[in-house]
């Protein structure tokens, strides 16, 4: 007769791995910010499972999405939604629960909460109220992208999602064109081609970059090249899934002031001021503010 492990009482703080039940240790009251897999459910940590099984409540960006992970590991902890539309309104009540001795976990749909995901208002409210906030580290698309891109990682800046409207996006990129560190962006698949085109315009066609798609998932794709080539490659492509764009930092360039001033004057003859500034900024690797101020001065001189 087959020996079977009896199913535990669902009120118990337990979880399962490959059909084996484990009891989670008791937790100290407080807020636990828990990273969850960005695609592959096996990327969850044992500590994360223990916390999610032992807390009194799991706050989910989307309870339906989080159910895929929690149900997979046999975790039956009570769940509630906390997302960008309700987190500020709910933060006070959740902090009150923490003050009463509750242990509460915060997770997002995937990856580490607060990184372009909800959670900051709650963590700030909790810490300002003197309540413990503990990070349970794990998967992150940001770090997975950096680890696989082949671009420098000694210095990097995470910029999250760029503005969806082209004008605002181009202005934001113009201000970033001369940053020396690797730049990391998240992007929607429907805006990927447009963003790559704007990156090439702002940073220069030859800037090395990487598009990482569906990291850790079955159809993971990592495409390396220069910005112009990537923009062309994805121009008419049908792209799905989560996107991370990584761009090499600007090289150090010593520029003759008279040379870029002459180029700016020529550009202003045929282009609107903002377009001329963006072109010269990218071409010579200058600070946008310096070029913009020079352009305004030249316009003023001409009356």
């Amino acid at each position: 007769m087959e020996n079977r492990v009896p199913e535990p009482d669902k009120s118990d703080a337990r979880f399962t791995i490959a059909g084996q039940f484990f009891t989670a240790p008791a937790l100290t009251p407080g807020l636990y910010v828990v990273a969850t897999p960005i695609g592959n459910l096996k990327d969850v940590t044992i500590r994360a499972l223990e916390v999610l099984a032992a807390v009194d409540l799991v706050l989910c960006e989307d309870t339906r999405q989080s159910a895929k992970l929690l149900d997979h590991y046999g975790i039956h902890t009570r769940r509630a939604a906390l997302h960008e539309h309700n987190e500020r309104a709910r933060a006070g009540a959740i902090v009150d629960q923490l003050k009463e001795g509750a242990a509460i976990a915060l997770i997002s749909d995937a990856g580490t909460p607060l990184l372009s995901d909800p959670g900051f208002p709650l963590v700030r409210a909790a810490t300002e109220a003197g309540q413990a906030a503990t990070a349970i580290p794990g998967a992150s698309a940001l770090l997975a992208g950096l680890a696989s891109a082949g671009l420098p990682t000694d210095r990097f800046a995470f910029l999250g999602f760029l503005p969806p409207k082209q004008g605002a996006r181009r202005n934001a990129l113009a201000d970033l064109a001369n940053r020396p560190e690797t730049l990391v962006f998240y992007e929607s698949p429907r805006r990927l081609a447009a963003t790559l085109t704007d990156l090439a315009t702002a940073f220069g066609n030859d800037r090395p970059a990487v598009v990482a798609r569906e990291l850790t998932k079955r159809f993971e794709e990592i495409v390396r090249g220069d910005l112009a080539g990537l923009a062309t490659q994805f121009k008419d492509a049908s792209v799905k899934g989560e996107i991370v764009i990584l761009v090499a930092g600007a090289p150090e360039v010593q520029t003759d002031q008279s040379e870029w001033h002459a180029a700016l004057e020529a550009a202003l003859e045929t282009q609107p001021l903002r377009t001329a500034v963006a072109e010269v900024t990218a071409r010579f690797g200058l600070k946008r503010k310096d070029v913009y101020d020079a352009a305004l001065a030249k316009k003023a001189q001409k009356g």
Side-chain angles (χ1 to χ4, degrees):
M1 181 175 180
E2 182 181 4
N3 292 323
R4 298 180 62 87
V5 178
E7 183 174 349
D9 184 338
K10 291 185 178 181
S11 64
D12 289 351
R14 297 189 185 185
F15 59 95
T16 66
I17 299 178
Q20 178 70 46
F21 291 108
F22 297 88
T23 299
L27 291 173
T28 301
L31 179 64
Y32 293 83
V33 184
V34 183
T36 57
I38 58 176
N40 192 321
L41 294 183
K42 293 180 181 179
D43 289 338
V44 71
T45 68
I46 298 298
R47 188 181 179 203
L49 294 176
E50 289 180 342
V51 168
L52 294 172
V55 290
D56 302 298
L57 172 68
V58 179
L59 298 171
C60 312
E61 184 178 358
D62 184 330
T63 55
R64 295 166 298 180
Q65 180 67 26
S66 297
K68 298 175 184 178
L69 172 69
L70 299 177
D71 293 350
H72 180 81
Y73 287 102
I75 295 172
H76 304 288
T77 309
R78 185 166 62 91
R79 307 158 196 178
L82 187 82
H83 45 71
E84 61 180 334
H85 303 297
N86 72 355
E87 57 182 332
R88 287 175 174 80
R90 293 206 60 201
I94 295 168
V95 170
D96 287 341
Q97 293 180 60
L98 295 173
K99 290 178 178 178
E100 293 170 0
I104 298 176
L106 170 67
I107 63 176
S108 59
D109 286 347
T112 302
L114 281 74
L115 296 183
S116 290
D117 277 330
F120 170 66
L122 175 59
V123 173
R124 179 173 60 181
T127 55
E128 287 179 348
Q131 300 303 302
T134 302
I136 310 299
S140 166
L142 160 64
L143 297 179
L146 279 167
S148 57
L151 296 176
T153 58
D154 55 334
R155 290 187 298 168
F156 65 88
F158 175 56
L159 287 307
F161 286 91
L162 287 163
K165 294 186 177 179
Q166 187 178 69
R169 183 169 60 242
R170 287 182 172 179
N171 288 338
L173 290 175
D175 290 334
L176 299 171
N178 297 305
R179 295 279 291 266
E181 69 271 46
T182 298
L183 304 180
V184 186
F185 307 92
Y186 288 170
E187 191 50 278
S188 161
R190 67 178 180 276
R191 291 194 296 268
L192 176 60
T195 294
L196 289 170
T197 298
D198 289 342
L199 279 163
T201 299
F203 292 1
N205 289 334
D206 298 331
R207 185 80 69 91
V210 175
V211 173
R213 186 181 69 85
E214 292 288 79
L215 287 166
T216 78
K217 300 178 183 179
R218 180 182 178 186
F219 297 106
E220 176 178 293
E221 179 182 37
I222 299 175
V223 185
R224 301 173 179 87
D226 57 40
L227 285 171
L230 291 172
T232 299
Q233 181 171 344
F234 286 99
K235 180 179 179 181
D236 298 316
S238 178
V239 181
K240 297 181 180 180
E242 305 298 325
I243 306 291
V244 182
I245 302 174
L246 305 99
V247 185
E252 292 187 13
V253 179
Q254 299 296 326
T255 304
D256 186 326
Q257 187 178 53
S258 62
E259 183 180 355
W260 72 260
H261 270 261
L264 179 60
E265 288 183 3
L268 288 169
E269 293 292 334
T270 59
Q271 301 176 31
L273 186 143
R274 288 185 179 275
T275 304
V277 167
E279 178 184 293
V280 173
T281 296
R283 176 180 169 187
F284 291 94
L286 301 168
K287 293 183 178 179
R288 181 179 181 278
K289 184 178 185 306
D290 292 343
V291 180
Y292 188 74
D293 289 346
L296 290 178
K298 292 181 185 299
K299 285 284 189 181
Q301 287 174 1
K302 292 186 177 182

